[in-house]
Amino acid sequence: MGHASEVSIEKLAKEFQPILIDDERIERAYKLIRDMLVFTNRRLILVNKQGLTGTKTDYQSIPYSSIKMFSKESAGIGDLDAELKIWLTGEDQPTIKQDFRKGDNINEAYRVLSKYVLK
């Protein structure tokens, strides 16, 4: 699937303003070519830009309450190349798998998941 790189929250504010609820804020966002993983304080949003031009966009909202398990696989606890896996309720295999490059701090994404899933 490729490696994700962190995206500036300020750059996403205008694009996501119409779909965020009043007290919702973006915590972290990661981009893979045209697709994105966006972590808010309420949900995980998967953004899938479709077609050759990317003009059609699918925003899939996953409430944190639907996440039953998540894992980080890397060579060590540090910020090395790593893979984030997320299992949704009712699924035996991870629904979401995303690679992170060194320097894109998968630990921050893992902390956001921990903060909202482990309530």
Side-chain angles (χ1 to χ4, degrees):
M1 213 175 147
H3 288 63
S5 57
E6 193 161 5
V7 179
S8 167
I9 293 170
E10 292 78 25
K11 289 183 180 181
L12 297 178
K14 185 176 180 180
E15 177 182 351
F16 282 85
Q17 185 213 9
I19 65 170
L20 298 179
I21 61 175
D22 290 339
D23 63 344
E24 188 174 19
R25 68 186 176 284
I26 298 172
E27 299 266 340
R28 294 277 182 212
Y30 300 90
K31 189 171 188 174
L32 169 68
I33 304 171
R34 297 181 300 178
D35 299 339
M36 284 189 287
L37 292 173
V38 179
F39 297 88
T40 78
N41 61 318
R42 299 285 188 161
R43 59 188 157 164
L44 171 59
I45 303 171
L46 303 178
V47 181
N48 181 6
K49 302 256 181 175
Q50 301 171 355
L52 292 174
T53 60
T55 54
K56 185 175 179 183
T57 305
D58 177 48
Y59 296 88
Q60 181 181 6
S61 293
I62 301 171
Y64 290 123
S65 61
S66 295
I67 297 173
K68 74 171 182 180
M69 184 169 65
F70 55 97
S71 71
K72 176 190 107 160
E73 184 178 321
S74 69
I77 198 75
D79 186 23
L80 305 171
D81 285 351
E83 182 179 38
L84 180 67
K85 297 178 186 175
I86 300 172
W87 287 258
L88 300 182
T89 302
E91 299 294 326
D92 292 333
Q93 298 296 317
T95 307
I96 301 162
K97 291 182 184 178
Q98 185 59 64
D99 292 326
F100 284 74
R101 286 183 287 216
K102 182 177 181 178
D104 286 325
N105 206 345
I106 188 173
N107 293 326
E108 290 299 324
Y110 198 82
R111 274 196 283 272
V112 171
L113 281 170
S114 297
K115 181 178 178 179
Y116 295 112
V117 173
L118 303 177
K119 285 185 172 185

